[in-house]
Amino acid sequence: MLLTFARITRDASRVVDSADGDATVVVGITNSGVHISGDPGSRLARTIHEAHPEIVVTDDDLRQIYAALRQRAMEGDADAAAVVARLAQIQRASDD
């Protein structure tokens, strides 16, 4: 189970389910609406979505993003290769 800090609320300590299904441990007391996460990509995506809900990512956009990511992985980018490998792992797991 992946534990991330996604949202700190006024509750001192509790576990909540995040949007991606992972458990989120919430510790601390502060104003609600503060997002703390180890995943900057998720933070950026949430910020863009909240600021511009009219933006829609199409299937073609995703294909182009994947093609660029795959190219970077093939050129030796370790982060891109990790994402492609994780995608392959998820695809193979869904086939079972």
Side-chain angles (χ1 to χ4, degrees), residues 7-36:
R7 186 177 190 83
I8 296 178
T9 66
R10 294 182 189 273
D11 297 342
S13 180
R14 64 191 179 108
V15 176
V16 296
D17 291 327
S18 61
D20 57 10
D22 294 330
T24 301
V25 176
V26 180
V27 179
I29 300 173
T30 187
N31 293 328
S32 62
V34 175
H35 294 274
I36 299 173

Side-chain angles (χ1 to χ4, degrees), residues 18-92:
S18 61
D20 57 10
D22 294 330
T24 301
V25 176
V26 180
V27 179
I29 300 173
T30 187
N31 293 328
S32 62
V34 175
H35 294 274
I36 299 173
S37 173
D39 181 7
S42 292
R43 271 197 320 267
L44 178 59
R46 184 178 313 278
T47 300
I48 292 169
H49 173 70
E50 289 171 356
H52 301 284
E54 73 280 2
I55 293 175
V56 176
V57 178
T58 66
D59 289 345
D60 190 51
D61 293 335
L62 292 174
R63 285 185 196 93
Q64 290 178 32
I65 292 166
Y66 171 75
L69 183 66
R70 184 181 181 281
Q71 183 62 39
R72 287 180 48 191
M74 298 303 284
E75 292 171 356
D77 183 315
D79 291 332
V83 172
V84 172
R86 180 67 177 128
L87 175 59
Q89 180 184 27
I90 291 168
Q91 289 172 334
R92 285 171 176 78

